[in-house]
Amino acid sequence: MDERIRNVVDVAFLPGFNTPTIAVLFQPQQTWSGRLKECKDNTSLFLISLDLVAKSYQVITEIENLPYDPLYLIPCSSNIGGVMILTTNAILHVDQASKITSLATNGWARRVTDTLIISEEPPSDVHLEGSRAAFLSDNDLLVVLVNGIVMHVHLDHEGRLVRKLTVEQQMGRCSPPSVLLVQNSVVFVGSLISRSVLLHSQTSEPDRNASLSADGYDNEIDIAWNSTKTRLTISPCDAIEDPGAFIKATFCLRPHGETSLVATSGLDTLGGFSIFNRRIPTRIKKKMPAIAGRRGIWSMRLDQDARSGHRSTASGLSSSHDDNILFSTDMNPAPGASRIASKSQARLDVNITNRLPMLTVAIAPFFSQSHLLQVTTNSLRLLTPDGLEKQAIKDTDGNTPRAKIRSASILDPYILILREDDTLGLFIGEPSRGKVRRKDMSALGDKKTRYLAASFYDDRLGCLKLDEGDARTSMSSPAPSPSHWLVLCRTTGIIEVAFAYT
């Protein structure tokens, strides 16, 4: 677009223009704090108008000699115009006429630049690295620092002319931000290391007898403006515990009128979108006490052709060849009860097709969705889709019963069980014989090894690769699909990842 544009710091679209217009913040020549005597004020800002029909562009504004340490820019509303630029030591407003209005946040601001005239010494030492900022209104900017301190920046303007920037640091705190999102009066602060909070802001007449909040974000954060004689109150209304890493986020309106939070997280093949809802919208609500399921309930899709003894050769899944099975289990009546139910064709209801007098630990489709594999507290059972037993394997050591099965992980054709004495058991299915057999686990360690947790991982994206020097690669038995892995956690805290061998 322009050979002078290099080392881009940030890019943003500007509102209020007839054609798409972007602001590009960049540094034609880079520098650092040790070279400020030779090179400072090396940042430039271009406002570029894009003509999508003619596929051309025009630089409508060029601002040079900005501070060397910009962090990001935020476009202002069309009522004011221009952009806000946050640097390490100052906050700037730059309009289309190249007028710069600045505010120092610490004493280093006047030492690292020659172009800005900052008339008064800042009242506090605030550094903006790691901060996030967003507009609450046309002239109110909310800044959350890396330590969670909330700042409010007010733009004193007359029309589109910004005369002064004022800031008042708050005593209240919220989570260290990774994402700051504002929509209407709702403020969302996403955090990598703490809970992400949802705040509500409102303006009101000040109460002269009230004082500012001085502790955590569970209290209200009050901001008094002498110029407008109003108060901005920010109060918490919701929180998400340990949501993971946010990169970007936005609010979206769902078809039923509910607002959801859409966030991006992860990198490369592990990246994706996460949607957060305050509650899961209910389409149909119906009480079905007959199936119960206080100790567990599973919904599975099975092949209906397996009921008649033949399999469909059609490729892909089709609703005409698949059936949803509902499996539930309870402790009472002793020694437990499990039920297999299917949907009713006549009305919105379920039909219980079979009852099993046992407690189920885990169950999943098996042998390409033609069977069910049920794990109880002391056995493994291969069932037909109707719940009839086809094979049963007691979990014993010879004739000696083992400890009860605490949990299980099923990944066709593998079954991994974890007992109450922290030992493991591995089983594998043989589709050609239609049977399940026990698998020797000596390759994973001796019988004295104890585990806290164990599970299968289906690596469909190919993120994990087997080490060529692994001793298991020399085994004579061929390895299965490399997407099947075992993830084990020992009682000592050691995590093991191994491929599911045959």
Side-chain angles (χ1 to χ4, degrees):
M1 180 173 290
D2 194 304
E3 61 181 9
R4 294 172 293 176
I5 299 178
R6 60 184 65 183
N7 304 316
V8 175
V9 178
D10 200 1
V11 179
F13 279 92
L14 302 181
F17 289 85
N18 295 327
T19 59
T21 303
I22 59 174
V24 182
L25 188 66
F26 64 97
Q27 295 178 332
Q29 181 181 0
Q30 291 184 308
T31 186
W32 64 295
S33 57
R35 292 187 65 243
L36 292 182
K37 287 187 177 181
E38 289 78 19
C39 180
K40 65 166 63 172
D41 298 333
N42 61 323
T43 305
S44 300
L45 176 68
F46 280 8
L47 304 185
I48 303 174
S49 178
L50 305 177
D51 190 343
L52 302 181
V53 178
K55 296 183 179 180
S56 61
Y57 74 95
Q58 179 181 1
V59 179
I60 58 178
T61 302
E62 298 182 13
I63 301 100
E64 298 179 347
N65 299 326
L66 296 174
Y68 83 102
D69 54 351
L71 300 174
Y72 53 91
L73 59 85
I74 301 175
C76 298
S77 68
S78 57
N79 296 329
I80 297 179
V83 295
M84 300 293 295
I85 301 177
L86 278 77
T87 70
T88 304
N89 309 297
I91 301 175
L92 296 77
H93 175 268
V94 182
D95 61 14
Q96 188 175 347
S98 303
K99 182 182 181 298
I100 301 175
T101 306
S102 62
L103 172 69
T105 57
N106 57 63
W108 288 99
R110 63 175 60 186
R111 299 187 180 187
V112 298
T113 181
D114 293 333
T115 58
L116 301 181
I117 301 176
I118 302 173
S119 58
E120 57 184 19
E121 189 72 19
S124 60
D125 186 18
V126 175
H127 296 269
L128 300 177
E129 299 101 324
S131 66
R132 295 293 184 269
F135 274 101
L136 286 171
S137 61
D138 290 347
N139 54 356
D140 302 318
L141 181 70
L142 191 69
V143 182
V144 182
L145 304 182
V146 68
N147 56 3
I149 293 178
V150 179
M151 293 175 54
H152 167 253
V153 178
H154 180 66
L155 282 68
D156 186 6
H157 65 97
E158 182 179 349
R160 296 175 63 89
L161 178 62
V162 177
R163 298 184 179 275
K164 185 181 180 182
L165 302 178
T166 57
V167 63
E168 184 171 347
Q169 179 176 330
Q170 303 312 306
M171 300 301 294
R173 290 174 180 265
C174 65
S175 304
S178 62
V179 169
L180 180 62
L181 185 62
V182 176
Q183 180 172 326
N184 299 329
S185 60
V186 178
V187 180
F188 174 74
V189 183
S191 179
L192 296 176
I193 61 176
S194 182
R195 65 176 184 173
S196 299
V197 295
L198 188 68
L199 309 173
H200 180 265
S201 64
Q202 61 181 0
T203 58
S204 60
E205 292 297 327
D207 184 4
R208 296 183 179 181
N209 298 324
S211 59
L212 297 181
S213 173
D215 43 15
Y217 52 78
D218 288 336
N219 296 330
E220 291 187 349
I221 303 171
D222 295 333
I223 305 172
W225 309 333
N226 295 327
S227 59
T228 59
K229 302 298 183 182
T230 57
R231 172 181 295 168
L232 175 66
T233 303
I234 301 178
S235 56
C237 55
D238 203 352
I240 304 175
E241 300 290 344
D242 303 323
F246 285 117
I247 299 177
K248 291 290 184 181
T250 185
F251 288 114
C252 70
L253 189 62
R254 298 179 65 86
H256 299 287
E258 296 187 356
T259 302
S260 301
L261 176 69
V262 181
T264 59
S265 59
L267 297 173
D268 199 17
T269 56
L270 299 180
F273 292 94
S274 300
I275 300 178
F276 297 88
N277 297 317
R278 185 175 178 83
R279 57 184 175 272
I280 299 177
T282 302
R283 294 184 179 179
I284 300 174
K285 184 177 181 180
K286 182 178 179 61
K287 290 184 177 181
M288 291 183 288
I291 63 172
R294 294 185 178 181
R295 290 298 299 269
I297 187 166
W298 297 265
S299 177
M300 296 164 288
R301 175 165 290 185
L302 297 179
D303 192 346
Q304 287 183 348
D305 292 335
R307 299 174 184 265
S308 57
H310 64 276
R311 299 295 310 277
S312 173
T313 58
S315 60
L317 295 176
S318 174
S319 60
S320 62
H321 295 284
D322 296 320
D323 191 16
N324 288 329
I325 300 297
L326 196 64
F327 195 98
S328 62
T329 186
D330 291 275
M331 280 290 295
N332 296 318
S338 299
R339 306 166 187 84
I340 300 178
S342 61
K343 62 184 179 180
S344 174
Q345 302 294 336
R347 57 178 180 172
L348 182 61
D349 205 346
V350 294
N351 296 325
I352 297 178
T353 59
N354 202 343
R355 289 179 171 86
L356 307 174
M358 61 193 69
L359 180 66
T360 302
V361 177
I363 190 168
F366 213 66
F367 289 151
S368 301
Q369 296 181 321
S370 63
H371 291 74
L372 290 173
L373 196 287
Q374 179 192 18
V375 180
T376 67
T377 55
N378 59 1
S379 66
L380 280 74
R381 305 175 72 238
L382 184 65
L383 309 177
T384 65
D386 295 324
L388 301 178
E389 182 180 295
K390 188 175 182 180
Q391 181 188 5
I393 301 177
K394 294 290 184 180
D395 185 32
T396 59
D397 187 4
N399 294 326
T400 305
R402 293 180 179 270
K404 289 185 177 181
I405 299 174
R406 184 174 64 198
S407 62
S409 178
I410 304 173
L411 179 62
D412 192 9
Y414 304 98
I415 309 103
L416 182 68
I417 62 173
L418 180 62
R419 306 181 183 94
E420 291 182 351
D421 59 354
D422 298 332
T423 59
L424 294 179
L426 182 62
F427 299 82
I428 186 171
E430 297 179 345
S432 58
R433 298 177 54 217
K435 298 290 184 180
V436 177
R437 63 177 175 86
R438 192 183 301 271
K439 176 61 184 172
D440 182 23
M441 295 190 64
S442 58
L444 294 177
D446 54 28
K447 295 183 178 180
K448 297 181 180 180
T449 306
R450 295 294 183 265
Y451 297 90
L452 288 176
S455 177
F456 282 109
Y457 172 61
D458 191 6
D459 184 19
R460 299 181 180 181
L461 298 178
C463 299
L464 300 180
K465 297 184 182 298
L466 185 65
D467 188 359
E468 296 295 336
D470 198 314
R472 301 189 191 98
T473 57
S474 60
M475 294 190 304
S476 57
S477 59
S481 171
S483 65
H484 296 165
W485 297 83
L486 277 172
V487 182
L488 309 173
C489 178
R490 294 188 181 184
T491 54
T492 57
I494 299 175
I495 302 294
E496 298 180 4
V497 180
F499 73 98
Y501 55 94
T502 56

